[in-house]
Amino acid sequence: MMIPPQVTALAWVQMSGPSSPLLKALHIAPPLGSPQPLYSVGGVALLYGVQHAPLVYLALRAGLMNVPRDGMEAARLSGASALRTFRDIVLPLALPGMIAGAAIAFVSCIGNFGIPAILGIPASIYTLSTLVFTKFAAFTDRTFGEVALLSGVIALISVAGLAVQERALGGRDYRILGQSGAAACLPVGRWRFVFLPVLAILLFFMLVAPFLALLAGALVPAYGVPLTVKTLSFHAFEEVLLRQAITRTAFANSLFLAAVTAIGLLVLSVLAGYMLTRRRDAASRMVASLIEIPYALPGIVVAVAFILVFAAPLPVFNVTLYGTIWIILVAYFASFFAVSLKPVVSAYRQLDPALEEAARLAGAGFFTRLKDILVPLVAPAAGASVILVFLIACNELTVSALLWSAGTQTLGVVIYNLDDSGGSDLASALSVLVVLMVVAMMLLLEAMAKHLPKGAVPWRS
Amino acid sequence: MAKLILNNVSKDFGTGQPAVSRVSLDVREGGFLALLGPSGCGKTTVLRMIAGFEAPSDGAIFLGERLLADPAQSLPPERRNMAMVFQSYALWPHMSVADNVGYPLKVRGVSKEVYRRRIVEALDTVRLADLADRRPADLSGGQRQRVALARCLVTQPDVVLLDEPLANLDRHLRQEMEETFREFHIRSGATMIYVTHDQSEAMALATDIAVMSRGELLQVAPPQEIYACPEGRLVGSLIGRGAILSLAVPAAMLRKLDWGAIRALLGAAAPDGGVLADVLVRPEDVRLGGEGAAARVRSSLYEGERYSVTLDLADGQILRAFSRERPMPGDTMSVTITSAWRL
């Protein structure tokens, strides 16, 4: 579920269309010459949905976990049927999570680059983000002006989307009291026999099939060759792992950027989240709105802004950030702050203020309270935010597509460039490695999970 | 430890009506003050201002000579040396019972040995010593309450604040906890301020009761005095279950009225020049039977130890009384009012 969008797109392309190695191997490929169905607006939209389903799921799950069992039981005893309880109690309590998830997905789609770059550009279907990219690729005198304008449009749409979310969430204070109640369990009952197969089919098409297609794409010697036992080769893996220095650089770059971003943002989020939820004076309101600005800006806008600002050397230090890895790092901080902040803010919102007040009366100053009370209590959310940021940053393409230069390629950039230049077998091989890396990290976390506070790993309870 | 003084304290949240207006209060050292009033009367806001969670918009709060808060400055709660039992108990779910109780000590940086000893002492006082390693989530309501109280015990706070601490407990546990609070007060000698809407709780625990309504302080007095001599109609109706009669009492008359005076006033159907005054009659001061004024039984309610009777006087005013026997509604009987209080 943490698979980067360009990899998802690549996998789906390999899974469908006339030259899919997987379909060919199974002898169900459409005839040659028939159009690739995903190279269309519908295809882009479908993959947006596939890509962002986990984001919405995580946000929604966080919301649902807050529904106390006694609240549901009270509703049942008030005479509400199971369905009615769901509508009247569970849904309103989970609503902040749902709206937050929808907003993240919307803003994320607006700024998404990987999917429309792989599916849209070959079919001359441009989204705002890929248009910015192509303008940069064909650099002219007017480029700066044009991309600034396009980025402005993207920013406006995103801000509008977030304004809707702010309005919907405004004035709702769903802090649940400090008493730890049991989390609710919804019995699905006989509906299980309907839900389970549907879920299994969905999961198969969202996870297993694309990965198999990707694997098939990586194992054929060249694009379009059908995969049989005879044609099977590990040539592409050898190439990306052993011969190409660039892919190893990309691994190192991406891991470094992701680690520094995730840890740096964790510290910032814990502090900023506190300010946003607790202090109500004018200064913190201003800070709050300042932090909201990078949240509203999709990665592509941030990247354009950073190019415009840092293209020239910094005035005082006379250092040029542009072209170094540091501009990517700074841009990551700006664009993933939102991802990092949201879970932490949600956690702060749901803390009973009395828990902190009790610590104040116990004599604890701000930093003592932060260390002893607040951080342990928001730790699950903060843990989730670190993992999210790390995995997203590790596989990021949108920002680095504009900011990379020789030696600072990220994994996303290398995969896209390989696919763009016709090396879809190499791109697939690298993608398979990325997927394996993501899965390995998730397994590692899974193994650590029992030593972490409850809820720290986002996909576990 | 010193006297806690509230001087003309007001709090306005900007809602148009002040939450607390011009409250002046002296809590003597070692006193146990109950802030009593219906919900929404501003008593919790007063408590939060004393704790330092809210700053007063007018007036000042002192602890002895030390200024705690006025509109210009406010000492942060962590430097006030107070402790509080919250209505939701506010136990930290990620710490064990012992760590919850010991946290104020940990913040003060005491030695390991003192830390351990004081926790054991505090938990012994609330009889929870064998639950020290549990998590708050594994405890019952009463046990959580006692942990919260033990957390107040470990340090020697100048003032202990209690915000409706018994609101979430059953009646049996309440009585037990009341006993624990009283013990705690005697043992620690701390000044205690107890917010409640339950007057029997306030009467049983406090050395002084402050009655609040709509943000204003109506009266401060010891429980016996506030029961016997309430000031004004509002306090009279809030405290106890008295009936308030409208009688033409001459202004020169003593406030405490005996049967002779009341009998004459009951007879005087029309006020002769005097203004009608409110007179509080407690049900225990009403005798049924014998010589007296005629009254008709409106209803009688069995309460276990006795019947609670509502009576209509001849002029239609309502009186409350207690009775050992069961009076039948509709019966006419004579009543004697041994004592009454002009509000």
Side-chain angles (χ1 to χ4, degrees), chain A residues 25 43 170 283 344 354 395:
Chain A
V344 179
N395 298 312

Side-chain angles (χ1 to χ4, degrees), chain A residues 51-76:
Chain A
Q51 187 64 36
H52 295 115
L55 273 183
V56 180
Y57 166 77
L58 280 184
L60 185 56
R61 183 175 177 283
L64 283 173
M65 291 294 278
N66 285 320
V67 180
R69 190 179 64 198
D70 45 4
M72 283 174 57
E73 287 165 353
R76 291 301 292 273

